[in-house]
Amino acid sequence: MDYSAKISHQVANIPRSGIRDFFELVQGRDDVISLGVGEPDFATPWHIREAAIYSLEKGHTSYTSNLGLLRLRKEISRYVRDFFHIDYTPDSEVLVTVGVSEAIDLALRALLNPGDEVIFHSPCYVSYLPSISLAYGVPVDVPTRKADDFALRASMLEAAITSKSRVLMLNFPTNPTGAVMPLEELEKIAALCIQHDLIVISDEIYCELRYNDGEHVSIASLPGMQERTILLHGFSKAFAMTGFRLGYACAPAPLIEAMMKIHQYAMLCAPITSQAAALEALEHGEAAMTKMRDSYHHRRDYMVGRLNDMGLDCHSPGGAFYVFPDIRKSGLTSKDFAMQLLSAEDVAAVPGDAFGEAGEGFLRCCYATSLEEIKTAMNRMERFVGTL
Ligand code: PLP
C-alpha cells in the first residue's frame, strides 16, 4: 500500500528532529561520549522513587481527576507562589500534564485558529516549530544572537509582530543556548505583549537551573502579564524525573479549562504514580535538587573554560545545562563539525542548526553528564580542534 497517500499533509510536512537523526548514528556505540541528550545523568533522588513505589504498594493505581490530584495541584500552587511569586488557584488554574511536552501541545491547540501566527525565539527547543504547525499555526521565528548572549531583543520581536500574531512562545533559560533574560528586556517584551494583545506561552522548565547572580523572573509575574500568560513547568530537569513524564500548566481558569478539554479526551489524566512522586519532589526535594544544580554549575564552569582555552569562543550561559560554543572559526558547518568530531574522536554533540537556522555555526554540548566524561570529551575535542 502507498502509505504516503494515507498520512495527513500536516504530519507529512513536519521535519524529523535533527537530534534524533544524529543520535541514530550513535545508537549502540559504547565508545562514544555523548554530550547530546538533554537529560540529567542523575537517577531520580531515592526518596522520590520511594514515594512512587509506596504509591503502587498502597494500590493507588486508578485514574485521577482530569486536572490532576488536588493535593498535587495545591502543592504546585504553593511552589509556584514561593518560587515565581505568582498566585494560582489549585481548583481551576493548575493542570497536571504528561510532561511539559503535552502542555506545549495543549496550549497551542487551545489557543490557535488556522493561520494564526506564533512567534518564538530561535535557536530553540526542537518541538516548538512542529508543535505550532501541528496546531495549524504559522511559525514565525525571531533569531537571537551571540552578541546578546542569545537573549531575545524586544526590538527584534517588535519587528516580527503582524496583525495575525496571536501567541509568543518564550523559553528562558533556553534550550539549546542556556540564555537567560535581562529584566529590562523582559519588561519591554511584556509591554509589547500587552500593546499587541498577545498571549504568552512561557516554558520555564529550566528555571531552577540558574547559576549567575539574580533570581529567575517569570514574565507571568510582571504587571498585567498573569492574565495573558500560560506558565509551563515540570519535573524532568531540575528533579531528574524525565521518565516520570510529568509537567504542569498554570494560567487563568478559562485557558486551563480549554486546555483541559483537549487533555481529558487525549490523555484523560497524568499517571497517578508519577503524580505521587511529583508531590514528594515538591514537598521534600529541594536539598537533592540544590545538590544537582551545584554539580551542574561546576561542570558548566569547567566546560566553558576548556572550550575557550581550545579556541572555541563560548559564552558562559546563565542557566539550563547546555553550552553553545561558536565553531565558525573552524570553517566547517555545524553538521560537518559534529560529524567529523564524532568519527575522529567519538564525541557526540548536537549541530546548532538542529535548533533552527540561527543555530548554524554553533554546537550544543550538554553538561548533564559526569565530570569525568566531560574531561575526557574535552581532551578529545581539543585534539580534534588542533587538527583543523
Ligand atoms: N521544553 C524544553 C525547553 C525542553 O528542553 C524539554 C526537554 O528537553 C521539554 C520542554 C520537554 O520536557 P518534558 O520532559 O517535561 O516533556
Side-chain angles (χ1 to χ4, degrees), residues 10-268:
Q10 210 67 11
V11 173
N13 288 336
I14 58 170
R16 274 164 58 98
S17 157
I19 301 189
R20 196 173 143 190
D21 281 349
F22 189 71
F23 279 91
E24 273 175 11
L25 295 171
V26 177
Q27 285 271 312
R29 286 188 52 187
D30 294 341
D31 47 334
V32 171
I33 298 183
S34 176
L35 307 176
V37 184
E39 173 156 52
D41 58 317
F42 299 104
T44 307
W46 173 241
H47 67 101
I48 299 175
R49 284 183 268 159
E50 233 174 4
I53 294 165
Y54 286 154
S55 163
L56 283 168
E57 263 181 10
K58 284 185 224 140
H60 294 165
T61 54
S62 60
Y63 294 131
T64 69
S65 147
N66 296 131
L67 289 171
L69 291 169
L70 181 58
R71 225 182 119 195
L72 175 59
R73 282 181 279 136
K74 281 185 177 163
E75 193 52 26
I76 289 170
S77 168
R78 193 272 312 154
Y79 185 83
V80 169
R81 187 179 323 113
D82 291 353
F83 190 89
F84 299 94
H85 316 297
I86 318 171
D87 270 309
Y88 291 101
T89 309
D91 287 339
S92 58
E93 295 184 323
V94 179
L95 171 65
V96 179
T97 58
V98 179
V100 171
S101 303
E102 191 212 354
I104 291 169
D105 180 49
L106 295 179
L108 288 167
R109 285 206 275 162
L111 294 172
L112 296 181
N113 286 305
D116 286 342
E117 290 180 1
V118 180
I119 303 176
F120 59 99
H121 50 101
S122 74
C124 70
Y125 179 46
V126 289
S127 89
Y128 289 176
L129 192 142
S131 300
I132 295 165
S133 299
L134 286 171
Y136 298 91
V138 177
V140 176
D141 91 82
V142 177
T144 57
R145 300 175 306 196
K146 182 181 154 196
D148 300 322
D149 285 348
F150 296 99
L152 174 61
R153 280 283 184 107
S155 55
M156 306 264 289
L157 168 63
E158 189 167 21
I161 296 174
T162 72
S163 58
K164 292 190 178 152
S165 306
R166 282 284 311 273
V167 174
L168 170 66
M169 292 182 80
L170 296 178
N171 170 227
F172 294 103
T174 308
N175 175 7
T177 60
V180 297
M181 278 300 287
L183 181 57
E184 322 81 71
E185 209 61 23
L186 197 64
E187 284 169 343
K188 286 188 204 160
I189 288 169
L192 284 173
C193 292
I194 293 169
Q195 186 189 338
H196 295 277
D197 197 20
L198 302 181
I199 295 282
V200 179
I201 300 174
S202 188
D203 173 353
E204 303 188 26
I205 191 166
Y206 295 101
C207 64
E208 290 93 349
L209 303 179
R210 292 230 11 191
Y211 311 112
N212 299 343
D213 292 343
E215 65 168 7
H216 175 81
V217 176
S218 170
I219 195 164
S221 69
L222 299 182
M225 289 307 294
Q226 184 172 354
E227 66 172 5
R228 59 177 64 251
T229 303
I230 300 178
L231 170 62
L232 307 184
H233 195 16
F235 297 86
S236 288
K237 310 293 177 173
F239 291 105
M241 290 175 65
T242 48
F244 284 86
R245 309 302 310 121
L246 213 73
Y248 53 89
C250 298
L255 298 184
I256 289 293
E257 173 65 18
M259 290 171 68
M260 198 274 288
K261 275 200 302 228
I262 310 168
H263 172 77
Q264 73 183 359
Y265 295 125
M267 210 62 70
L268 212 155

